[in-house]
Amino acid sequence: MSIEAIRYRPGLLELLDQRRLPAEEHWVGITDVHHAASAITDMVVRGAPAIAITAGYGMALAVRRGRVDRRQAQELLLAARPTAVNLRWILERLDQVPDARVEPEAIRLHREDLDTNRRIGMTGARVLPPGGVLTICNTGALATGGWGTALGVVRSLVCAGNAVHVWACETRPYLQGARLTAWECQREGIPCTLIADSMAGALMAEGRINSVVVGADRVAANGDAANKIGTYTLAVLAKHHGVPFYVAFPRSTLDLRCPNGQHIPIEERSPDELTTLRGVRIAPEGIHVWNPAFDVTPADLITGWITEDGLWTPETR
Amino acid sequence: MSIEAIRYRPGLLELLDQRRLPAEEHWVGITDVHHAASAITDMVVRGAPAIAITAGYGMALAVRRGRVDRRQAQELLLAARPTAVNLRWILERLDQVPDARVEPEAIRLHREDLDTNRRIGMTGARVLPPGGVLTICNTGALATGGWGTALGVVRSLVCAGNAVHVWACETRPYLQGARLTAWECQREGIPCTLIADSMAGALMAEGRINSVVVGADRVAANGDAANKIGTYTLAVLAKHHGVPFYVAFPRSTLDLRCPNGQHIPIEERSPDELTTLRGVRIAPEGIHVWNPAFDVTPADLITGWITEDGLWTPETR
C-alpha cells in the first residue's frame, strides 16, 4: 500500500496536514463541512482527487449533522478552490443519492479513487519509457485516495520492475515537489533527485530526461490541460527537446462541458506565498506579485492523456 | 546614481551583505585577501562584475599587507567561484602593474565598470522594445560597480522616458530576483512584478512579455552564454513565443579562448540551498539534489549580445 493521507470513520474526517510535511506528520480532525471547506482552501489537503474525496466527506458530515442544508454545503465546498473540476464531479455524484446514502457513497468514492489510480498507473506503465522521468507538484498518494496519478504511473513502472529515476521539480511557490513528492519517493525507496523548477531546461539539454509526466486539475474537451503553474513551461521545454509529455488523470478530471483551456478558471493565490516562506520574508514588503496557482498546457504540446480507461483522445483529434 | 554595494578606502573594503537583503542593509568590513575570497564564495557579494571588482580589491589588500605573495593571492581569488570569467580578467589586468599600482588600478577598474555599464545600458536602450521586460537573477547595481548590465539596460530605457514593466523571476534557489532585483526596482521606482521562475511560460503565453534581457557570467567565442540557472529555460520559452532574447554584459565577460559553451565550467553548489531556506527545512533530510548555479544558453537562441561597444557578434556568425 502507498501512503495514506485521508482517513474517515463515521462523523470524523482526518487529514494528514500537508502544510507541515516533511517536518512533521500531524493529523487534523474535522467534524463539520465548514472546516472541511477551509481545509481545502488552506491546503491542509491538496491535489484534485484528494480535494474531491475531502469534499465528499464534507458533504457526509453536513448530512450527518443535519444543521446545514445540502445546497448550502455544496456551494461552500464548490467555492473552496475553483480550478479542480473533480470537486464538482464528486458533489454531482453525491447529489444523486438520498441523505442516508451520502456517507456510504463518499466512502465508496474514496475507495474507487484508489482503484482508478492503479488503473491509471497500468495505462501509464504501458506507454512511458523507463529512465529519467520529470514531474512537477505532487501527484502521488498524498494528492489522491492513494497511489497517485502521474506519480502513480511512476509507482506502476517501478512495480513492473523498470529502472526509473524521478526528477522532482520543487514546485514554487508552495513547494509540493520538495515537501511532498521528495518525501513520498524517499519513503518508498523510489530514486529521486530534487531540482529547482528553473533547472528543468538544463536537465533536458543534458539528455537526462526520457519523459515528462504530470497530473491535471481540469482537462477540457479539446485536450487542453490545467495543472500546477510551471507545467506549461515544462511542456514547451519537452517539445523543444523532443521528450514525450504525458498528462495522467482520472476521467473525473475531464470537463467535456469546457470546450478548451481558455474557459478554465485559474485561481490566483495570495502574494504572501511568494514573498514569505514559513513566516520568513524573502522579498521586499509591498512588492507587486503575480501568483496564479495553475497554467494551461495546450493539447498540441501533449503526447498522451493517460486515464483509468486507457489513453484518452480529445474529440477534436 | 544607482545603489552602491561595494566601497573601498585604502586598506578597507566594505561590502553590502547581499545575503541579508532585503531584510537589512548590513555592511561587512574586509581587510585581507582571505576574507575577500570567502566573501565571494559565500555570496556576500555576487554578480560577475561585482565579484571581479571585489577580487581586484582583494589583490589590493594582499599587496598592501605584503604577507601573502601575489601568486598565492591570485590563486585564492580565482578559486573563489569558477564560472564568472570577469574575475580572471581583472586579475590578469592587475598582474600587469607593479605592487605600488595595484590599489589605484583596482579603484580605477571599479570606476571603469560603472562607466561600462552605462554604455551597455545605452546600447540596450537602442534595441530593446519598451513594455514588459522579463529578467532573471540580479544584474543591477548590486551585481556590478553600479547601474547594472541587464537591469542597467532597463534603467537606461526608463531614463530615456520609455514605459517599462519589469517582470522579475524570483530566481531559485538563492532568490536574487525576489531579494535583490525587486528591492532595487522598488527603491528606484521602476515598475516591477515578482513571479516564481515557473510562471515565465504562462506569462509569455498571455502576451505580456515584449523582451527578455539577462546578464552573463561567461560568453564563449561562438556566442554561447553561461548565466544563472534558469536562463536557458527562458531562452527556449522566448523562442517558442517569438519574444526577442538579449544578453547584456561587459566585454570582460567574453572568453574568446573558450570556443563554445561546452567548455564553460559550471559550478555546482550545496544541496542545502534547495533543502533549507534561512535555516528552515523545506525538503526531507537526505534527499538527493542537483544544484548547478548556472546553465548555458546556445547562441542560436540569442537575439543579440549587448555590450559597452554596441552589439557584439560571435566570430562564427
Side-chain angles (χ1 to χ4, degrees), chain B residues 28 30 68 90 132 181 217 241 246 268 289 314:
Chain B
V28 176
I30 291 171
V68 192
I90 209 165
T181 298
D217 291 76
H241 293 92
Y246 290 98
E268 273 204 47
V289 169

Side-chain angles (χ1 to χ4, degrees), chain B residues 9 23 32 121 151 156 183 202 206 227 251 254 265 277 281 295 305:
Chain B
R9 61 168 193 261
D32 66 67
L151 200 59
S156 298
W183 182 78
E206 289 199 2
N227 190 46
R251 291 185 66 96
L254 273 175
L277 202 141
R281 176 154 286 277
D295 59 24
W305 292 259

Side-chain angles (χ1 to χ4, degrees), chain A residues 21-23 136 165 167 170-173 175 178-180 182-183 185-186 192-206 208 229-233 236-237 239-241 274-275 277-278 280-292 294-296 301, chain B residues 21-23 136 165 167 170-173 175 178-180 182-183 185-186 192-206 208 229-233 236-237 239-241 268 274-275 277-278 280-292 294-295 301:
Chain A
L21 287 173
I136 187 169
H165 192 101
W167 294 84
E170 63 171 356
T171 317
R172 285 283 293 152
L175 297 167
R179 295 190 300 107
L180 310 177
W183 183 77
C185 288
Q186 199 179 49
C192 175
T193 300
L194 178 65
I195 60 166
D197 307 323
S198 63
M199 294 167 189
L203 190 61
M204 288 193 204
E206 289 199 0
R208 290 153 98 169
I229 186 71
T231 301
Y232 170 65
T233 289
V236 172
L237 287 170
K239 186 180 182 186
H240 184 81
H241 294 91
L274 268 147
T275 58
L277 200 140
R278 306 225 169 165
V280 179
R281 175 154 287 277
I282 53 175
E285 197 105 36
I287 192 76
H288 191 257
V289 168
W290 187 51
N291 185 21
F294 304 96
D295 59 26
V296 173
L301 295 178
Chain B
L21 289 174
I136 187 167
H165 193 101
W167 294 84
E170 63 172 355
T171 319
R172 285 285 291 153
L175 297 167
R179 296 189 301 105
L180 309 178
W183 182 78
C185 287
Q186 199 179 48
C192 175
T193 299
L194 177 65
I195 61 166
D197 307 323
S198 63
M199 295 169 188
L203 190 61
M204 287 193 205
E206 289 199 2
R208 288 152 99 170
I229 186 70
T231 300
Y232 171 64
T233 289
V236 172
L237 287 170
K239 186 182 182 185
H240 184 82
H241 293 92
E268 273 204 47
L274 268 147
T275 58
L277 202 141
R278 305 224 167 167
V280 180
R281 176 154 286 277
I282 53 175
E285 198 106 31
I287 192 75
H288 190 257
V289 169
W290 187 52
N291 184 22
F294 305 95
D295 59 24
L301 295 178

Side-chain angles (χ1 to χ4, degrees), chain B residues 1-3 141 147 155 158 182-191:
Chain B
M1 250 301 284
S2 55
I3 296 149
W147 202 256
R155 274 200 172 86
V158 170
W183 182 78
E184 272 200 53
C185 287
Q186 199 179 48
R187 282 204 31 164
E188 302 199 15
I190 299 171

Side-chain angles (χ1 to χ4, degrees), chain A residues 76-97:
Chain A
L76 192 67
L77 290 163
L78 267 176
R81 287 195 74 189
T83 301
V85 76
N86 315 57
L87 198 156
R88 189 181 79 198
W89 174 88
I90 209 164
L91 293 174
E92 284 173 0
R93 291 280 290 263
L94 293 175
D95 216 24
Q96 292 158 24
V97 303

